[in-house]
């Protein structure tokens, strides 16, 4: 045994001292090259139908908080071609057409470095983002077809997030951690779940997955630069009547965590007292006291100063002013990458964030268990979130639960990812996959079954307890209605072969066999596996239910563990990344499909859809562990040139005579004084937000008066507490208003504030002119 020289002991003690000071991940083994990026994908905040609920009356009219694309890249430093990219979208789902065009741009920029094989694009499933960006008819009917503006901003945002991540690539390490999160999701179709085999159910404590899996990205020089996690719960805290663009609970959690990290690493303790304010708090009683020679109370002194700042009226401005005024835009310092936190979606198919349960809104009684109806009707049955009846509060609570669990996992992450980076990807025609099944019968006979062309059942039109449908549809319908079958037949009468293939689903829309003016539903779907050491990510193009996801994860994990090259026992972590690369609705178990609730009716390719996924993913997994190539499969169609969009453009914006764009229509009251949790509201004469999406900018801004007389931006479109609401006085009016509401958070510093609005107006000559307006100043007290 070697001994330590006495002269080395002080040095060793000093090293030990610094190691104790350094949190986990502060020093990095730098076994990978890592990069993260983030970019605005908010899209048009007016006139566009929202994607998710298929409610034709749910039209965007403002912003709750902005949407973003967040990306990470992990590369092997010893193999330049061995890398994977994962993009998390604050959008309802990925789009095949978006994926195609993003990959074309990446190929043009980087050659073959990034392709469909190693790039995954996944949606969080918010139901409060602009629609019209998918390429198949059934997903863009309610948005009046294709919306080029929605499509372009998402493609641009994904590309820019990947460019950022690529340019940020630096030596670093990745830690993984898992933990249980309760009370953030309930099963919204428990009657279908109960049809799964009792012995299978008995293996699990809950009827939804409660585990969150988190990655912590640590730059070798800068320390933590990102956090991505996967957890299953629907993006339906915001209801089907909401009209404000919102990332729902997962988008909120991402904003909370990014602000939490920036506070935690702020150089002043004061700035860490409030989330994302972008300014340092100060001792206002002393500083403002020096600005006044009058012996008045602190509040009187503030009112006197505020009274000198009247509303400015509308003024011309440059678009750059909106971008430069962003609160978080100024938080990136030097070369240090901005911290990126993403809350990714998993097998959320039957998981609702409305955790109080489903009740009849007329009687207050629980809905029917099997069909989710009230007196036989589905329209009155709604799930209740934890903040009921306030959907914004429900969104905050579910988002905060995910955020707090993520920070716990982030702070305690200690398992280091190490090992190979690899990927496998294949396109499959899901309308005709042959699946080998081993039947539980004497002799263990092997049977071959097939998937079917896509079709949607009657229960699809019933909706869910998160967003009920209309008319006389109900969940659990395995017969169908004669009247609606007649209506269906006008569009397409399904063949006997299709009816038999889809049984017991009664077909409402035979979407897989409808092709006018172009295909109504996808047939060719991508499946993909990304591997980073002991982490395996399964990219699935739809919404797996809880038990369907469990079966897929177990099958793939078994493929890794039974192979000599697959892993070292139980250290393999398998996560499902839902709604990835394209969208094909739901995937239930065979047993859940028999019940034909909403999820079963929306399982497009028939009762053996899950078995097909399991079979094909196992093939990919075995190819990966055996280091074998796979055939790419048939190429999905690019339908961009066939798209039809019926959304009318903005023709002109106008104001009454004597009024300018940006003028204050309804100001704060004179000598206004507000307390924490009060709501400040100002309305401006405005224009259509479609003229300029203010990407990476802001429509609304709260400014704080510094003691030196400068106004500092403290809250903007990215903040949960600030809402931008846009409206017209009449449906076809060229006049419009912007109402900005600020719910003063507890973290707000007492002092003097004002509200600003940025936008752009369109003239009859189609020119776009930017403007800004400013409210009178007001006081916020303790």
């Amino acid at each position: 045994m070697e001994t330590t020289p006495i002269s080395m002991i002080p040095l060793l003690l000093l090293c030990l001292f610094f190691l104790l000071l350094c949190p986990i991940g502060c020093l990095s083994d730098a076994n990978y090259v890592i990069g993260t990026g983030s970019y605005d994908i908010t899209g048009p905040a007016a006139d566009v139908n929202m994607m998710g609920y298929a409610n034709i009356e749910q039209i965007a009219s403002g912003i709750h908080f902005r949407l973003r694309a967040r990306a990470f890249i992990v590369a092997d430093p010893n193999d330049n071609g061995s890398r994977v990219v994962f993009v998390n979208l604050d959008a309802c789902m990925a789009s095949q057409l978006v994926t195609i065009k993003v990959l074309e741009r990446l190929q043009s920029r980087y050659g073959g470095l990034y392709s469909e094989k190693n790039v995954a694009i996944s949606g969080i499933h918010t139901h409060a983002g602009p629609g019209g960006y998918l390429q198949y008819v059934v997903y863009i009917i309610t948005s009046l077809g294709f919306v080029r503006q929605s499509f372009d901003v998402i493609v641009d945002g994904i590309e820019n997030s990947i460019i950022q991540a690529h340019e940020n690539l630096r030596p670093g390490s990745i830690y993984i951690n898992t933990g249980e999160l309760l009370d953030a999701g309930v099963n919204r179709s428990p009657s279908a779940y109960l049809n799964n085999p009792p012995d299978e159910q008995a293996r699990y404590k809950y009827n939804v997955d409660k585990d969150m899996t988190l990655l912590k990205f640590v730059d070798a020089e800068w320390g933590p630069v990102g956090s991505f996690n996967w957890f299953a719960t629907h993006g339906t805290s915001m209801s089907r009547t909401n009209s404000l663009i919102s990332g729902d609970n997962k988008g909120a959690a991402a904003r909370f965590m990014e602000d939490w990290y920036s506070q935690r690493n702020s150089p002043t303790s004061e700035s860490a007292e409030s989330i994302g304010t972008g300014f340092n708090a100060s001792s206002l009683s002393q500083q403002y006291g020096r600005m006044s020679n009058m012996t008045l109370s602190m509040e009187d002194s503030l009112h006197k100063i505020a009274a000198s700042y009247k509303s400015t009226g509308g003024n011309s401005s440059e678009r750059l002013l909106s971008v430069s005024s962003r609160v978080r835009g100024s938080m990136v310092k030097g070369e240090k990458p901005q911290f990126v936190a993403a809350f990714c979606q998993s097998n959320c198919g039957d998981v609702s964030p409305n955790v109080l349960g489903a009740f009849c809104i007329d009687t207050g009684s629980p809905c029917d268990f099997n069909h989710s109806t009230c007196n036989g009707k589905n329209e009155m049955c709604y799930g209740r979130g934890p903040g009921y009846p306030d959907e914004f509060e429900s969104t905050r609570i579910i988002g905060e639960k995910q955020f707090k669990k993520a920070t716990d996992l982030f702070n305690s992450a200690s398992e280091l990812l190490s090992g190979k980076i690899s990927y496998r990807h294949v396109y499959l025609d899901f309308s005709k996959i042959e699946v080998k099944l081993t039947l539980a019968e004497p002799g263990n006979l092997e049977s071959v079954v097939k998937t079917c062309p896509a079709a949607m059942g009657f229960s699809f039109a019933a909706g869910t307890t998160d967003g009920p449908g209309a008319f006389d549809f109900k969940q659990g319908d395995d017969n169908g209605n004669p009247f609606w079958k007649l209506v269906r037949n006008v569009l397409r009468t399904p063949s006997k072969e299709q009816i038999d293939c889809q049984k017991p689903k009664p077909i409402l829309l035979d979407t897989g066999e409808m092709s006018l003016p172009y295909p109504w539903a996808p047939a060719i779907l991508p499946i993909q596996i990304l591997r980073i050491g002991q982490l395996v990510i399964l990219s699935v193009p739809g919404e797996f239910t809880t038990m369907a996801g469990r079966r897929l994860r177990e099958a793939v994990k078994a493929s890794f563990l039974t192979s000599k090259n697959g892993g070292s026992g139980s250290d393999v972590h398998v996560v499902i990344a839902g709604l990835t690369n394209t969208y094909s609705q739901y995937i239930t178990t065979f047993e859940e499909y028999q019940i034909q609730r909403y999820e079963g009716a929306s399982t497009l390719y028939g009762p053996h859809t899950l078995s097909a996924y399991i079979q094909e993913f196992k093939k990919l997994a075995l190819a990966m562990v055996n280091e074998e190539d796979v055939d790419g499969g048939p190429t999905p169609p690019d339908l961009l040139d066939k798209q039809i969009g019926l959304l009318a453009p903005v023709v002109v914006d106008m104001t009454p005579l004597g009024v300018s764009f940006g003028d204050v229509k309804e100001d704060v009251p004179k000598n206004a004084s507000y307390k924490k949790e009060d709501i400040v509201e100002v309305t401006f004469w405005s224009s259509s937000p479609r003229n300029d999406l203010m990407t990476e900018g802001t429509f609304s801004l709260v400014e704080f008066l510094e003691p030196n007389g400068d106004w500092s931006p403290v809250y903007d479109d990215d903040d949960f507490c600030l809402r931008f609401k846009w409206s017209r006085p009449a449906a076809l009016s060229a006049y419009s208003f912007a109402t900005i509401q600020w719910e003063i958070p507890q973290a707000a510093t007492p002092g003097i504030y004002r509200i600003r609005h940025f936008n752009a107006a369109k003239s009859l000559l189609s020119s776009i002119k930017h403007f800004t307006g400013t409210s009178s100043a007001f006081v916020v007290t303790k």
Side-chain angles (χ1 to χ4, degrees):
M1 180 176 179
E2 296 180 353
T3 59
T4 303
I6 297 295
S7 60
M8 291 293 292
I9 291 178
L11 179 60
L12 289 174
L13 290 174
L14 184 62
C15 291
L16 179 61
F17 173 74
F18 280 108
L19 283 172
L20 291 173
L21 285 180
C22 185
I24 292 174
C26 179
L27 299 179
S28 172
D29 293 325
N31 52 335
Y32 295 116
V33 177
I34 60 173
T36 58
S38 175
Y39 205 81
D40 189 354
I41 59 166
T42 302
D47 299 330
V48 176
N49 184 253
M50 289 185 167
M51 183 65 205
Y53 286 115
N55 176 14
I56 198 168
E57 297 179 352
Q58 190 188 13
I59 305 298
S61 61
I63 296 174
H64 179 205
F65 58 91
R66 285 189 169 263
L67 312 179
R68 302 196 70 80
R70 296 173 169 92
F72 72 74
I73 300 176
V74 182
D76 186 337
N78 301 313
D79 183 354
N80 189 48
S82 182
R83 62 181 60 201
V84 294
V85 183
F86 190 91
V87 183
N88 185 62
L89 297 180
D90 286 346
C92 194
M93 67 281 290
S95 156
Q96 183 68 74
L97 189 57
V98 166
T99 302
I100 289 171
K101 296 307 176 185
V102 168
L103 293 174
E104 286 179 358
R105 293 191 185 187
L106 294 177
Q107 183 177 16
S108 176
R109 182 179 291 271
Y110 298 112
L113 197 58
Y114 303 112
S115 70
E116 73 278 358
K117 296 178 182 179
N118 64 347
V119 176
I121 302 171
S122 177
I124 63 170
H125 212 36
T126 175
H127 285 42
Y133 64 93
L134 287 87
Q135 71 172 351
Y136 296 103
V137 172
V138 75
Y139 305 129
I140 56 177
I141 289 176
T142 58
S143 61
L144 302 179
F146 189 68
V147 180
R148 186 66 192 235
Q149 205 172 31
S150 291
F151 173 80
D152 284 343
V153 74
I154 294 177
V155 173
D156 291 345
I158 296 170
E159 181 189 23
N160 278 293
S161 71
I162 293 174
I163 291 172
Q164 281 185 25
H166 180 88
E167 293 179 348
N168 286 335
L169 282 169
R170 298 164 52 86
S173 298
I174 308 168
Y175 294 85
I176 188 168
N177 203 0
T178 61
E180 189 176 78
L181 171 58
L182 304 178
D183 302 325
V186 295
N187 198 306
R188 69 185 186 187
S189 290
S191 60
Y193 181 90
L194 288 173
N195 204 46
N196 290 307
D199 58 338
E200 183 180 34
Q201 294 181 51
R203 293 168 50 203
Y204 302 98
K205 187 176 180 180
Y206 306 106
N207 64 359
V208 296
D209 285 340
K210 303 286 188 179
D211 287 337
M212 176 183 285
T213 300
L214 178 137
L215 298 183
K216 176 179 181 178
F217 295 88
V218 182
D219 185 286
E221 178 182 357
W222 297 110
V225 293
S227 169
F228 280 61
N229 71 73
W230 290 265
F231 176 76
T233 193
H234 247 77
T236 49
S237 292
M238 301 297 288
S239 74
R240 68 193 299 273
T241 60
N242 162 64
S243 65
L244 299 185
I245 290 174
S246 173
D248 210 277
N249 55 69
K250 285 189 177 290
R255 168 51 56 229
F256 298 158
M257 189 165 187
E258 288 174 347
D259 286 348
W260 164 80
Y261 185 81
S262 69
Q263 291 171 16
R264 195 179 76 160
N265 290 274
S266 171
T268 63
S269 60
E270 290 88 357
S271 63
E273 293 173 356
S274 56
I275 289 181
T277 57
F279 68 97
N280 293 333
S282 57
S283 177
L284 293 175
S285 59
Q286 295 178 3
Q287 293 177 340
Y288 279 114
R290 288 196 294 266
M291 296 175 65
S292 173
N293 294 322
M294 302 180 65
T295 55
L296 300 173
S297 70
M298 174 62 184
E299 189 171 338
D300 288 341
S301 180
L302 292 177
H303 276 297
K304 179 178 176 63
I305 298 168
S308 65
Y309 292 93
K310 305 293 185 183
S311 63
T312 61
N315 292 297
S316 297
S317 71
E318 298 293 330
R319 187 189 189 281
L320 183 61
L321 183 60
S322 169
V323 176
S324 63
S325 297
R326 286 179 61 238
V327 172
R328 291 160 188 82
S330 62
M331 299 175 92
V332 182
K333 297 180 175 62
E335 297 179 357
K336 183 176 181 179
Q338 188 173 7
F339 184 82
V340 177
F343 286 70
C344 312
Q345 194 55 269
S346 190
N347 54 317
C348 67
D350 53 359
V351 188
S352 170
N354 296 313
V355 295
L356 299 186
F359 296 87
C360 299
I361 59 175
D362 54 345
T363 65
S365 300
C367 304
D368 173 78
F369 181 76
N370 290 314
H371 302 289
S372 296
T373 56
C374 301
N375 294 319
K377 301 291 184 181
N378 71 78
E379 294 92 334
M380 306 295 284
C381 177
Y382 279 87
R384 294 180 180 177
Y388 175 83
D390 186 341
E391 62 189 316
F392 294 97
E393 181 65 4
S394 292
T395 300
R396 183 195 66 77
I397 293 171
I398 298 298
E400 195 170 77
K401 286 179 180 291
Q402 293 176 79
F403 152 62
K404 288 182 176 179
K405 173 52 64 175
T407 57
D408 289 345
L409 296 177
F410 182 87
N411 287 330
S412 61
S414 60
E415 181 183 348
L416 188 67
L417 290 185
S418 62
K420 293 181 179 179
I421 294 174
S422 57
Y423 46 83
R424 293 295 184 277
H425 175 284
V426 65
Y427 289 114
L428 300 165
D429 187 344
F430 261 79
S431 68
K432 55 181 180 182
I433 294 178
E434 290 189 348
V435 185
K436 293 182 179 180
L437 298 178
T438 300
L439 304 180
E441 295 177 355
N444 255 352
L445 300 178
E446 192 174 77
S447 174
V448 177
V449 295
K450 292 180 66 175
T451 56
C452 324
M456 295 155 67
F458 273 68
S459 294
F460 160 79
T464 71
T465 56
D466 290 338
F471 304 108
D472 55 352
F473 297 100
K474 66 179 180 180
Q475 295 193 68
D477 183 357
D478 58 4
N479 293 308
N481 177 290
F483 170 76
W484 288 109
K485 287 182 179 179
L486 289 173
V487 174
R488 169 201 68 189
N489 292 343
V490 173
L491 295 172
R492 167 81 187 192
T493 302
S495 66
K496 183 181 185 303
E497 181 182 11
Q498 174 74 323
I499 291 172
D500 290 342
C501 187
Q502 292 278 353
K503 281 182 178 178
K505 177 199 294 177
I507 297 173
L508 176 64
L509 290 173
D510 191 14
T511 53
E513 299 182 317
M514 297 166 68
S515 57
L516 293 176
Y518 42 88
W520 281 52
I524 299 172
L525 302 178
I527 64 170
Q528 178 188 54
I529 301 179
L530 306 180
R531 184 176 187 183
I532 309 168
Q534 60 269 37
L535 172 68
V536 175
I537 302 172
L538 309 182
S539 300
V540 299
E543 303 174 60
F544 277 61
T545 61
T546 298
M547 195 65 84
R550 288 168 174 170
R551 291 183 188 178
L552 177 63
R553 285 197 303 264
E554 288 183 0
V556 171
K557 187 169 185 176
S559 298
F560 278 91
L561 298 185
T562 56
S563 168
K564 62 181 180 180
N565 300 319
S568 55
S570 60
D571 64 342
V572 176
H573 300 267
V574 181
V575 297
I576 289 176
L579 307 114
T580 300
N581 293 330
T582 190
Y583 184 63
S584 59
Q585 294 176 245
Y586 285 75
I587 301 93
T588 65
T589 67
F590 178 85
E591 295 83 357
E592 291 165 350
Y593 187 90
Q594 309 307 307
I595 303 301
Q596 279 298 294
R597 283 183 63 95
Y598 174 84
E599 295 81 12
S602 303
T603 297
L604 296 183
Y605 308 103
H608 304 295
T609 300
L610 174 61
S611 296
Y613 271 104
I614 291 174
Q615 172 182 281
E616 300 303 321
F617 263 108
K618 287 174 68 175
K619 292 179 183 177
L620 274 192
L622 289 173
M624 176 175 283
V625 297
N626 294 325
E627 299 182 351
E628 298 171 348
D629 293 332
V630 295
D631 179 51
T635 303
D638 178 344
L639 302 176
L640 182 59
D641 292 340
K642 297 180 180 294
Q643 294 302 311
I644 299 171
L646 302 178
L647 180 67
V650 178
V651 177
V652 65
D653 296 293
M654 299 177 66
T655 59
L657 289 175
V659 175
S660 299
F661 290 109
D663 281 358
V664 176
K665 183 175 183 291
E666 297 179 17
D667 205 353
V668 293
K670 187 177 181 180
N671 296 321
S673 182
Y674 298 92
K675 303 185 298 296
K676 309 293 180 64
E677 299 185 355
D678 285 349
I679 295 178
V680 184
E681 182 172 296
V682 180
T683 299
F684 298 87
W685 287 94
S686 193
S687 57
S688 173
R690 292 164 61 195
N691 296 325
D692 188 326
L693 305 182
M694 297 296 180
T695 301
E696 289 293 348
T698 185
F699 288 106
S700 50
L701 187 70
V702 175
E703 294 181 320
F704 175 79
L705 182 63
E706 298 285 0
N708 62 5
D710 291 338
W711 289 96
S712 297
V714 289
Y715 299 96
D716 62 15
D717 281 353
D718 264 337
D719 281 287
F720 196 88
C721 63
L722 192 63
R723 300 172 194 169
F724 162 57
K725 298 183 176 182
W726 182 82
S727 62
R728 293 188 181 97
L732 300 178
S733 176
Y735 298 161
S736 65
F737 314 121
T739 298
I740 297 174
Q741 293 180 337
W742 180 39
E743 184 174 357
I744 304 172
Q746 286 292 334
T749 301
I752 298 171
Y753 292 82
R754 68 181 185 182
I755 290 175
R756 298 188 73 183
H757 171 49
F758 303 94
N759 208 342
K762 183 177 183 181
S763 71
L764 281 173
L765 300 177
S766 295
S767 63
I768 301 295
K769 294 184 178 180
H770 289 80
F771 63 86
T772 183
T774 308
S775 76
S776 298
F778 54 91
V779 174
V780 172
T781 66
K782 292 184 179 181

